[in-house]
Amino acid sequence: MRNLLVLVIVLAAAFVLVAMYVAPSQPQLRAWYRDNACVHLDKVSPQICAPLRQADGAERT
């Protein structure tokens, strides 16, 4: 049971870290996170999706 809990925590942390560090540089991944995941991640902290929004704004200008 403990191993399952650790696995869930690690997966959640990896999901957030990908949103913050990997997705801003990958256009398709960035679009998916922006459209699907940021709605939920913003409830935790708006700072998680801030790099995605900055990269999206920089690409449009």
Side-chain angles (χ1 to χ4, degrees), residues 17-42:
L17 290 175
V18 166
M20 294 176 73
Y21 297 110
V22 177
S25 63
Q26 304 294 322
Q28 292 177 335
L29 189 58
R30 179 174 62 229
W32 184 88
Y33 266 93
R34 185 190 62 237
D35 296 340
N36 298 304
C38 283
V39 175
H40 305 289
L41 292 174
D42 282 340

Side-chain angles (χ1 to χ4, degrees), residues 2 6-8 13 15-18 27 33 42-44 46-47 57:
R2 184 180 67 201
V6 169
L7 178 65
V8 168
F15 187 77
V16 169
L17 290 175
V18 166
Y33 266 93
D42 282 340
K43 293 176 184 175
V44 177
Q47 297 300 319

